[in-house]
Amino acid sequence: MKVNEDRFLKDLHDLREFGAAGVGKGVVRPAFSKDDVAARKWLATRMSEAGLTPHVDPVGNLFGLADGPSLLLGSHSDSQPEGGWLDGALGVIAALEVARASHEASGPKVSVVSFEDEEGRFGVTTGSAVWSGQLPLEEADELTDHAGVTFSAARACFAEMAGDFVDPTRFSGFIEMHIEQGPVLDTANEQIGVVSDIVGIRDMRITCDGQQNHAGTTPMHLRQDAFQALSAFNTAINTRFRNVVTPTTVWTIGHVTLHPNASSIVPGRATFSMQWRDAEVDRLDRLNTIIRETASEIAEKTGLRVRFGPMLGLDPVAMDMRLRTALEQAAKATAPEKWRVMPSGALHDATNVARLMPVAMLFVPSINGISHAFEEDTAEPDLVAGLHVLARAVSNLT
Ligand code: GLV
Ligand code: MN
Ligand code: MN
């Protein structure tokens, strides 16, 4: 098969037009937004032209199906609330190009997928989590975004075009190409990362209820200030985590809502996201215990009440050795001395798909290690190198 670099790059830039925003090549295309739906319709047309049958499932995952048994390639095409043009999109468009080139050359059968809500507007990799059975659809339907919209209401936008869930047994395996989203390859001036395993994640919403009151008349010692509780919680976990974490453990409070969020009102409620990631389930569990105990202690000491939302999470997974070896051989041939085996600190749909079939992943560098930001980018020769590694691996496998 002969992949067409120009056609691949053009499709990648065309996809960015849906939700193009911000500086550089930024994108705002959250799951189920107008731009996300329009991008999926555009992708479905590209799939048809590539000889694939487009199929949308009940949660908005878009497949381009080859006839009969096939290898599945792809990623996601939704974005963070402020995202880059390559996160997910790269893996989808590289998959499209490999499937198209293979179809033209009567090569191995390749299907393509763009999973929905990988970026977790509602959950954590919601579309692939439901498809894989990691998350029951009824539970997913109850999830809400930060504005209170339910997953069930959001996915209704696909109701007219959606068919059933795709039978996963038609696929022999799944390969996801992605940007690294960290500094390792860029710093080392390397082109390709072959993923060894993907870290695990836990994520939940925590709410502190205090007493809303006047910011001028309420003495400090009588306040039940929900923001002060959140601030104390953050300081306390940074200290208490110290004896448990490793240099690769990460944790983030990334979304905070204060109620009613006004300068002259002691906040009565703070709701915030608490997310933590690590390569070991045992450590994820120990951090969970610290989080709950710390929040409860602080609430008790200050007379506030604390509530924990549903805890979402995915365990760490290792990549399949046969698929990984095919990627390693392809990397060796395409980018000799400029590739490595490395773990993924970011989360990917591949984690869920591993419940259904063998999976593997490859990375290309992120300039300055930046992602989940408008500035996210990758040098063109690296994008193209990744495409060739993916195509070579597919050829090696069949
Ligand atoms: C996926 O986007 C992640 O948050 O790792
Ligand atoms: Mn991604
Ligand atoms: Mn992402």
Side-chain angles (χ1 to χ4, degrees):
M1 104 178 63
K2 191 165 165 19
V3 287
N4 183 327
E5 297 171 3
D6 293 337
R7 189 168 63 176
F8 157 69
L9 291 170
K10 180 175 182 334
D11 278 345
L12 203 48
H13 284 279
D14 285 353
L15 176 52
R16 193 227 153 206
E17 292 305 312
F18 297 92
V23 294
K25 298 175 183 152
V27 165
V28 174
R29 200 166 57 226
F32 307 107
S33 63
K34 196 163 74 30
D35 286 317
D36 174 47
V37 175
R40 277 165 203 274
K41 287 183 177 160
W42 173 85
L43 266 171
T45 307
R46 298 280 84 73
M47 287 168 168
S48 294
E49 290 166 1
L52 304 167
T53 305
H55 179 96
V56 180
D57 78 8
V59 293
N61 296 320
L62 168 65
F63 290 81
L65 298 171
D67 295 337
S70 62
L71 184 65
L72 182 64
L73 308 181
S75 187
H76 62 96
S77 56
D78 61 303
S79 84
Q80 285 286 331
E82 283 193 9
W85 71 304
L86 298 172
D87 180 356
L90 174 63
V92 173
I93 298 299
L96 175 67
E97 178 52 32
V98 171
R100 191 161 47 193
S102 193
H103 184 72
E104 287 165 352
S106 302
K109 295 255 202 260
V110 175
S111 294
V112 177
V113 65
S114 169
F115 289 111
E116 183 58 299
D117 198 26
E118 191 275 349
E119 299 291 11
R121 176 179 161 195
F122 293 93
V124 173
T125 59
T126 325
S128 59
V130 172
W131 182 52
S132 69
Q134 160 77 24
L135 176 67
L137 182 56
E138 311 77 62
E139 275 178 40
D141 274 343
E142 301 287 314
L143 296 172
T144 54
D145 69 2
H146 290 302
V149 177
T150 61
F151 184 71
S152 152
R155 72 183 178 88
C157 67
F158 287 114
E160 266 178 30
M161 61 185 113
D164 274 347
F165 286 104
V166 172
D167 177 0
T169 61
R170 62 184 292 146
F171 306 119
S172 57
F174 174 63
I175 303 181
E176 179 168 4
M177 173 173 162
H178 207 281
I179 49 168
E180 181 204 325
Q181 308 185 277
V184 176
L185 296 173
D186 191 48
T187 306
N189 197 24
E190 292 174 346
Q191 281 198 300
I192 301 292
V194 176
V195 175
S196 53
D197 40 71
I198 304 175
V199 294
I201 188 171
R202 301 288 182 265
D203 195 314
M204 72 178 156
R205 229 173 263 172
I206 303 179
T207 303
C208 292
D209 293 300
Q211 177 59 58
Q212 183 177 327
N213 212 336
H214 194 291
T217 57
T218 317
M220 297 309 282
H221 71 283
L222 289 182
R223 292 184 180 201
Q224 291 176 342
D225 182 330
F227 176 74
Q228 291 295 339
L230 161 55
S231 170
F233 167 80
N234 181 54
T235 304
I237 57 160
N238 286 346
T239 306
R240 292 180 186 189
F241 276 8
R242 235 176 250 155
N243 289 336
V244 179
V245 297
T246 74
T248 57
T249 313
V250 290
W251 60 98
T252 310
I253 296 175
H255 190 280
V256 175
T257 315
L258 286 184
H259 185 84
N261 212 17
S263 312
S264 292
I265 301 180
V266 176
R269 188 170 68 238
T271 303
F272 59 99
S273 60
M274 180 73 224
Q275 185 191 87
W276 60 110
R277 308 189 191 205
D278 193 86
E280 286 174 33
V281 171
D282 179 54
R283 190 169 294 104
L284 290 168
D285 290 345
R286 287 158 71 198
L287 297 175
N288 180 31
T289 304
I290 294 174
I291 288 163
R292 286 171 192 270
E293 286 179 356
T294 305
S296 301
E297 263 175 46
I298 288 171
E300 201 173 313
K301 224 186 279 171
T302 51
L304 277 77
R305 291 157 306 284
V306 66
R307 290 178 279 143
F308 301 98
M311 190 172 72
L312 302 170
L314 295 174
D315 288 347
V317 290
M319 299 296 98
D320 173 75
M321 244 5 241
R322 190 177 80 93
L323 296 185
R324 176 178 146 182
T325 304
L327 287 171
E328 289 178 17
Q329 285 166 351
K332 221 177 276 176
T334 307
E337 313 294 323
K338 297 192 87 172
W339 70 280
R340 71 169 65 197
V341 173
M342 61 185 293
S344 172
L347 205 66
H348 298 289
D349 292 303
T351 295
N352 293 316
V353 181
R355 295 168 65 92
L356 303 171
M357 64 192 83
V359 303
M361 287 197 72
L362 77 147
F363 286 161
V364 293
S366 293
I367 295 172
N368 298 325
I370 294 177
S371 185
H372 284 187
F374 289 149
E375 295 91 333
E376 170 194 290
D377 208 356
T378 297
E380 215 164 80
D382 295 341
L383 296 173
V384 167
L387 174 69
H388 286 295
V389 171
L390 183 63
R392 263 203 166 105
V394 169
S395 301
N396 291 349
L397 280 165
T398 43

